[in-house]
Amino acid sequence: MKSYDVELQDIVKDFDSGGAQIRAVDYVSVQIADGEFFALLGPSGCGKTTTLRLIAGFEQPTEGHILIRGRAMEGIPAYHRPVNTVFQDYALFPHLTVEQNIMFGLQMEGVNKREALKRAQDALEMVRLPDIGKRKPHQLSGGQQQRVALARALVKQPAVLLLDEPLGALDLKLRKSMQYELKALQRDVGITFIYVTHDQEEAITMADRIAVMNEGKMLQVGTPKEIYERPGTHFVADFIGETNFIPATLLKRENDGRGRVRLPDGSEICAALSDDLTTTSGAVTLAIRPERIGLASDVSAESATDRDLDILDAKLVDSQYIGTDTRYTLQIAEGTELVARVQNVDGRNSAAFDIGQTVKIFWHHSSTTVLDH
Amino acid sequence: MSERIRSMRRNGTFLALPTTLWLLVFFVLPLVIVLVVSFMSRGRGGVAIMPLTIGHYQRTFGIFSIILWRSIGLAAMTTVVCLLAGYPLAFFISTRRSRLFQQITLFLVILPFWTNFLIRTYAWRILLGDEGAINGVLISLGLISEPLKMLNTQFAVLVGLVYGFLPFMVLPIYASVERFNFRYVDAAHDLGANDVRAFVRVVLPLTLPGVLAGCALVFIPSVGAFVTPDLLGGTKGLMIGNLINNQFGGSGNMPLGSALSIVMMAVVMLSLVIYLLANRRERGT
Ligand SMILES: Nc1ncnc2c1ncn2[C@@H]1O[C@H](COP(=O)(O)OP(=O)(O)OP(=O)(O)O)[C@@H](O)[C@H]1O
Ligand SMILES: [Mg+2]
């Protein structure tokens, strides 16, 4: 049996707020493997921080069980759990120097001062800030504080590191380079990371697996590729990247995970069914990413006979040059528009079509996903 | 910022002029007079006359030193008791979820100020007296047979001072716990500190400004208190404030009173300096 570092079993967390109950976490179950970089992704208020605080032990679940390294966490206070947290606002102790901040956790373990200082300095070395040990947190930049917070947590050598939007306060450029550094660091130290973010790009580039949350529920868990290419629900498809949603009718489910659907223009195409699809026939939603849609004045005979390709007629409504790509707005039926994004190669595409012209659009079956309406 | 305000800011001395004059006339000048008088001799009716002498200071540090030390001791004890009682209270109030509850409890803390201090202190005479309420209850419960001697002791003075100055401890501590970000407690727990260690290493240091301010606000008026020891302390609980008070009465001794005042002021100054130094160290500047 595979060993899990963190297991959540049917976790519910209700908050009492002025008489009204708020369900911050709604029956969440997930298993996170040893050494995994696991991202919790979702919009503001969906319960990411609460989930993290439950694992850390700052909050107790209303229902359900939390296991860390196979051990049930009921009744185990935060200070006895083998996890450490990098807080969203870092929470560096303002009255202590950087070194003292990092030594704090070691001293709580009974490590003597000399040893603690040495390890604190090593930790600062690791986050590439060897010379700031004597400073106070308020004398550091946001990026430096972030690294100190990381060093303070990592020096404890936890089984699991919990990070709550650790890059949220940084500017875009620093953010990018810190993403890279964090990922490299995680690979080096081999600690399980549970990483909260509401930035889908960050989650996709960094995580081994992503859990998409909304309104306290964990909607889908999977690799970035699975989440991006095989979204299970409308919400996930919408939240991750840009998606075209086309109202459609499911005519027939095939056994190979595909189905025949009818589009608003009356054409029938073949599309991949989402794993989470419950509809057996009738109204559904077809999702397709803009960059998966191809565009041509005409299609070659060869393509036309490719059985894995869906080909439609569309009217070009608008085109917009956005540097690397050109965005085309296309109408496939009255009231149904799609966006296609085509990479600009040799400056060809942007000039190739006229507004109002009828073009052929095409995509591969596997690029579409049929979702519940 | 308008040009006008900017120029006013540059000419800050101008803005401070009224206050400076006020302080010069009503604070520095009297202080100088008191200082001079404290080195003069006592004339008929207790007034100050020439020649100059240091005799009053000798008496202050001689036969009156016991009262000086008693005052410092009682003030220090008052401060400690107020701190031990006030910190938990302030902590409790400022960590309540309901704003309304906080406001009501704070209101209760300062409610006694609505009654005259003298009257409230008289009330303690009734409570602490031999036939007072406390002894009455203890005797009727059969816990004691003889009334406890409480009134006219240093204990009574301590009780009165703590009662009178507790709000001065509670309010500044409330303010700093209120500002305290409890995320730091989470962080301390996260790093392996139990509740006690999180308190000692994180909460206490970060609320220390309030503690220091409270201590200064309680200690300074306690050292110079004279109503409370006068009404509750009798001769055994006499403090330096009473001594000074007596010197300016009918058969008093103004130069001695002045010397005692100067010494008391020195004690207050010293405690203020300690406060400021502690506060500075706290801020790490
Ligand atoms: N202590 C609390 N008392 C009452 N309600 C709370 C408490 N903590 C969180 N909530 C509520 O629980 C829900 C989830 O909050 P949470 O902080 O977990 O969201 P989040 O996903 O971290 O959002 P963000 O991205 O904005 O940080 C919110 O509706 C929030 O108002
Ligand atoms: Mg959050």
Side-chain angles (χ1 to χ4, degrees):
Chain A
M1 202 182 86
K2 183 154 173 45
S3 83
Y4 296 109
D5 241 15
V6 178
E7 253 185 285
L8 305 185
Q9 300 173 344
D10 298 317
I11 294 294
V12 173
K13 178 66 188 177
D14 290 333
F15 283 114
D16 213 22
S17 107
Q21 288 253 316
I22 296 176
R23 180 151 292 189
V25 178
D26 196 1
Y27 289 101
V28 162
S29 296
V30 70
Q31 295 166 325
I32 298 165
D34 200 358
E36 190 171 1
F37 194 123
F38 190 86
L40 278 177
L41 177 65
S44 187
C46 70
K48 307 180 295 287
T49 297
T50 306
T51 307
L52 222 54
R53 290 176 62 81
L54 286 165
I55 299 170
F58 304 139
E59 309 278 0
Q60 301 309 314
T62 311
E63 267 181 56
H65 304 281
I66 295 172
L67 279 75
I68 298 176
R69 295 245 153 121
R71 203 164 126 231
M73 285 293 126
E74 270 99 344
I76 297 184
Y79 47 88
H80 282 149
R81 296 191 183 191
V83 300
N84 284 107
T85 308
V86 176
F87 293 87
Q88 186 159 9
D89 53 4
Y90 312 139
L92 297 174
F93 302 126
H95 61 299
L96 301 181
T97 64
V98 165
E99 266 166 14
Q100 289 167 336
N101 260 284
I102 301 174
M103 287 160 67
F104 188 98
L106 295 172
Q107 288 173 320
M108 293 302 130
E109 288 172 12
V111 177
N112 71 48
K113 218 166 176 158
R114 278 238 325 267
E115 171 73 10
L117 182 62
K118 201 188 145 290
R119 278 161 66 179
Q121 281 162 349
D122 290 347
L124 279 174
E125 199 95 32
M126 179 179 66
V127 295
R128 303 197 289 109
L129 286 175
D131 304 319
I132 60 152
K134 297 282 181 285
R135 289 202 221 160
K136 289 273 181 79
H138 68 90
Q139 295 166 315
L140 305 180
S141 73
Q144 288 170 331
Q145 288 182 28
Q146 199 278 330
R147 290 179 208 207
V148 173
L150 197 62
R152 183 175 75 171
L154 282 175
V155 79
K156 299 267 295 177
Q157 300 179 325
V160 182
L161 189 67
L162 309 173
L163 303 99
D164 194 354
E165 305 201 27
L167 308 180
L170 308 183
D171 64 57
L172 192 67
K173 203 159 169 200
L174 189 56
R175 222 180 144 111
K176 293 275 174 235
S177 72
M178 283 301 300
Q179 282 176 6
Y180 178 79
E181 270 183 44
L182 260 181
K183 180 74 195 165
L185 191 75
Q186 192 260 346
R187 235 178 271 127
D188 290 348
V189 293
I191 291 174
T192 307
F193 272 34
I194 302 182
Y195 189 101
V196 163
T197 178
H198 63 249
D199 179 344
Q200 42 116 351
E201 203 180 314
E202 192 166 289
I204 287 175
T205 51
M206 296 175 84
D208 297 323
R209 275 195 309 156
I210 298 173
V212 182
M213 288 186 75
N214 189 35
E215 292 176 348
K217 292 192 180 65
M218 217 170 248
L219 298 178
Q220 193 174 359
V221 181
T223 63
K225 191 163 182 232
E226 283 164 1
I227 297 271
Y228 187 83
E229 308 215 344
R230 301 246 70 83
T233 57
H234 194 295
F235 179 87
V236 174
D238 201 20
F239 192 74
I240 313 273
E242 197 184 358
T243 307
N244 291 297
F245 293 105
I246 309 169
T249 313
L250 180 63
L251 302 173
K252 185 159 175 271
R253 291 182 79 136
E254 312 280 1
N255 289 332
D256 58 357
R258 299 186 195 183
R260 287 210 70 77
V261 294
R262 185 162 58 226
L263 298 184
D265 66 342
S267 62
E268 282 179 24
I269 63 163
C270 187
L273 304 177
S274 137
D275 296 337
D276 297 350
L277 185 74
T278 54
T279 314
T280 47
S281 73
V284 289
T285 301
L286 189 73
I288 179 160
R289 304 281 180 192
E291 74 274 11
R292 301 290 163 88
I293 302 178
L295 209 62
S297 329
D298 209 349
V299 284
S300 63
E302 181 191 351
S303 305
T305 53
D306 184 343
R307 291 197 42 204
D308 288 336
L309 222 51
D310 289 322
I311 304 167
L312 265 67
D313 287 324
K315 197 172 97 184
L316 182 61
V317 177
D318 191 19
S319 85
Q320 192 184 15
Y321 175 78
I322 52 167
T324 54
D325 302 336
T326 301
R327 281 171 62 97
Y328 297 100
T329 308
L330 302 150
Q331 194 180 55
I332 55 167
E334 199 58 49
T336 309
E337 289 189 346
L338 293 183
V339 171
R341 219 168 61 206
V342 182
Q343 214 172 17
N344 293 327
V345 188
D346 306 334
R348 255 190 338 234
N349 291 317
S350 56
F353 309 103
D354 300 321
I355 307 279
Q357 177 188 350
T358 300
V359 294
K360 296 275 181 202
I361 59 172
F362 51 90
W363 57 70
H364 197 268
H365 290 169
S366 62
S367 296
T368 56
T369 314
V370 179
L371 304 170
D372 286 323
H373 183 61
Chain B
M1 206 188 314
S2 85
E3 193 50 42
R4 176 112 174 246
I5 293 178
R6 216 174 288 174
S7 79
M8 273 166 79
R9 258 183 75 161
R10 264 200 304 276
N11 303 324
T13 43
F14 167 73
L15 290 173
L17 200 62
T19 320
T20 312
L21 276 177
W22 175 274
L23 284 175
L24 269 176
V25 174
F26 294 106
F27 183 72
V28 177
L29 197 64
L31 197 63
V32 171
I33 294 172
V34 170
L35 190 64
V36 171
V37 168
S38 73
F39 285 104
M40 290 167 74
S41 305
R42 174 181 186 249
R44 191 191 298 261
V47 298
I49 54 166
M50 281 304 188
L52 296 178
T53 170
I54 57 161
H56 307 302
Y57 285 97
Q58 286 171 333
R59 286 179 73 195
T60 300
F61 292 113
I63 57 166
F64 292 133
S65 71
I66 179 170
I67 293 175
L68 184 63
W69 281 115
R70 180 191 295 160
S71 303
I72 294 173
L74 272 172
M77 251 150 77
T78 303
T79 310
V80 169
V81 175
C82 280
L83 181 59
L84 293 181
Y87 197 104
L89 180 61
F91 193 89
F92 172 80
I93 296 173
S94 53
T95 50
R96 286 318 91 187
R97 193 86 76 70
S98 152
R99 266 265 162 222
L100 184 68
F101 183 85
Q102 286 193 19
Q103 280 159 356
I104 291 172
T105 37
L106 277 182
F107 176 74
L108 290 177
V109 167
I110 56 170
L111 190 65
F113 287 140
W114 288 29
T115 314
N116 185 288
F117 186 61
L118 212 58
I119 295 172
R120 286 187 282 138
T121 310
Y122 265 113
W124 276 106
R125 286 182 67 93
I126 297 168
L127 286 173
L128 294 172
D130 285 356
E131 266 101 62
I134 295 173
N135 273 320
V137 169
L138 290 178
I139 289 172
S140 70
L141 285 176
L143 290 171
I144 51 171
S145 51
E146 290 287 297
L148 286 174
K149 174 86 185 127
M150 288 184 292
L151 196 60
N152 298 333
T153 62
Q154 291 189 27
F155 171 73
V157 178
L158 183 66
V159 169
L161 289 175
V162 167
Y163 164 77
F165 296 127
L166 186 60
F168 296 118
M169 185 64 85
V170 173
L171 294 178
I173 295 178
Y174 167 81
S176 56
V177 177
E178 160 86 329
R179 267 202 311 270
F180 177 76
N181 180 355
F182 276 84
R183 188 71 52 89
Y184 295 132
V185 174
D186 284 344
H189 282 158
D190 190 69
L191 294 168
N194 57 25
D195 289 339
V196 175
R197 292 170 116 182
F199 179 79
V200 172
R201 293 280 316 262
V202 178
V203 182
L204 195 56
L206 287 174
T207 51
L208 206 55
V211 170
L212 291 174
C215 287
L217 286 175
V218 170
F219 182 80
I220 289 167
S222 296
V223 166
F226 72 94
V227 172
T228 312
D230 196 39
L231 294 181
L232 303 178
T235 43
K236 282 199 196 128
L238 202 69
M239 287 174 73
I240 193 166
N242 307 108
L243 214 50
I244 294 170
N245 190 33
N246 293 342
Q247 302 317 313
F248 291 93
S251 62
N253 182 342
M254 273 166 62
L256 175 63
S258 301
L260 288 165
S261 300
I262 294 289
V263 169
M264 198 195 90
M265 244 182 292
V267 170
V268 169
M269 289 293 186
L270 195 69
S271 57
L272 266 178
V273 167
I274 292 171
Y275 163 70
L276 290 176
L277 286 179
N279 216 13
R280 251 174 98 112
R281 232 193 75 175
E282 185 43 38
R283 296 204 176 152
T285 43

